Amino acid sequence: MSGLKILERTCRVSRSRVDRPHPPVPLVELVFPALNSAWAMEVMRGVVDSGLDVVLSSAVGRGASWAADVVRARRAGVLLVTCPISVAEERVFARAGVPLVHIDPVDVAAPDLVGVAASDRAGGVTAVKHLLALGHRRIAVVGGPRDVRCSRARVEGYRVALDRAGIAFDADLVRHADFTREGGRREADALLRRPDRPTAVFAANDEQALGVVEAARSAGLSVPGDLSVVGFDDLPAARRAAPALTTVRQPLAAMGRQAGWMLADLIAGRPPVTDRVELATELVVRDSTAPPARG
């Protein structure tokens, strides 16, 4: 990946001194909640495409001195990917003149936030409208963690689509889990054990959706014959799944690229044209959705 430098906190691995430009290229701290996911790789690809040189780090185990450590390391800026930041940490960066840009921000209500997100609410509406158009009326949702902005927005989109279709909201069909295959499977297991089980499930990300497919198979149900499933993200695993997953494509690389451009402007002392950018999502229809079985 051109332009990408990965520095571990312990060993400080970096580009060799022989090919390192002089003076050193300013480095940007790119912080993920976790690094071992296709989702993170897509965002990272976009950030690198923006032309920034980055140091990767994980929010897991981030200590209280993290902000001061980043300032001491003379980072030119910070990109926070779905990571919260405390007021105290913001003050450390502000005093040092280190700009911050959020990708998929946790809290869009923060007054000084500069960030890039996807149209999560609209994506949720689109996913459920697709299921409604197929004839589904008993549609469940497996949302992500309740305290994560994108999860709340996608579940809100689910509710909006049902309301527009004149379908009463049923709280028993709303479940929440972490953004993992195991979380999706666990919540789908509970939904599919119900005597009035849903005919379709909208999951807040692709990993959860693939877990829902696994739960359906374990229950002796076929996808999409007995249960339609829609995910969110359009990761490579969604295209490779059997059946291939209908999902809402989130422009992850474009989000990373746009955030990189915004941070580059801030580092150069140029205010971004706008503080908040929302990029459109798109429904990708594949093989995991179909009209409900006649009962």
Side-chain angles (χ1 to χ4, degrees), residues 79-90:
L79 288 166
L80 288 160
V81 187
T82 320
C83 293
I85 183 170
S86 69
V87 173
E89 289 170 334
E90 287 181 338

Side-chain angles (χ1 to χ4, degrees), residues 1 4-6 9 28-48 54-62 66 70 78-84 101-104 106 235 252-253 255-257 259:
M1 229 181 262
L4 177 64
K5 289 192 281 288
I6 302 177
R9 293 290 187 193
V28 168
E29 190 94 0
L30 175 58
V31 188
F32 286 94
L35 297 173
N36 58 341
S37 71
W39 187 95
M41 291 302 295
E42 283 296 299
V43 174
M44 191 190 312
R45 180 167 64 85
V47 172
V48 171
V54 302
V55 175
L56 298 182
S57 63
S58 173
V60 177
R62 193 173 76 187
W66 167 75
V70 172
V78 177
L79 288 166
L80 288 160
V81 187
T82 320
C83 293
V101 174
H102 295 253
I103 302 174
D104 198 7
V106 174
L235 298 177
L252 298 172
M255 288 163 61
R257 189 162 47 249

Side-chain angles (χ1 to χ4, degrees), residues 2-4 26 28 47-54 79 259-261 263-264 267:
S2 173
L4 177 64
V28 168
V47 172
V48 171
D49 286 347
S50 75
L52 295 176
D53 281 327
V54 302
L79 288 166
W261 291 336
L263 185 58
I267 292 170

Side-chain angles (χ1 to χ4, degrees), residues 100-103 105 108 110-117 258-259 262 266 270-278:
L100 306 174
V101 174
H102 295 253
I103 302 174
V108 293
D112 298 327
L113 183 145
V114 177
V116 181
Q258 179 67 48
M262 293 169 76
L266 290 171
R270 298 186 298 268
V273 175
T274 178
D275 288 346
R276 315 286 176 95
V277 174
E278 186 174 279

Side-chain angles (χ1 to χ4, degrees), residues 163-212:
D163 183 64
R164 289 176 181 172
I167 296 175
F169 173 74
D170 184 348
D172 290 338
L173 294 179
V174 180
R175 315 287 294 198
H176 288 273
D178 54 14
F179 284 122
T180 64
R181 192 170 303 202
E182 294 75 17
R185 177 166 182 162
R186 182 179 62 250
E187 298 308 320
D189 281 339
L191 287 166
L192 297 178
R193 284 195 299 266
R194 298 177 60 89
D196 54 349
R197 64 175 176 79
T199 64
V201 177
F202 165 47
N205 79 342
D206 287 345
E207 284 296 315
Q208 288 180 328
L210 294 172
V212 173

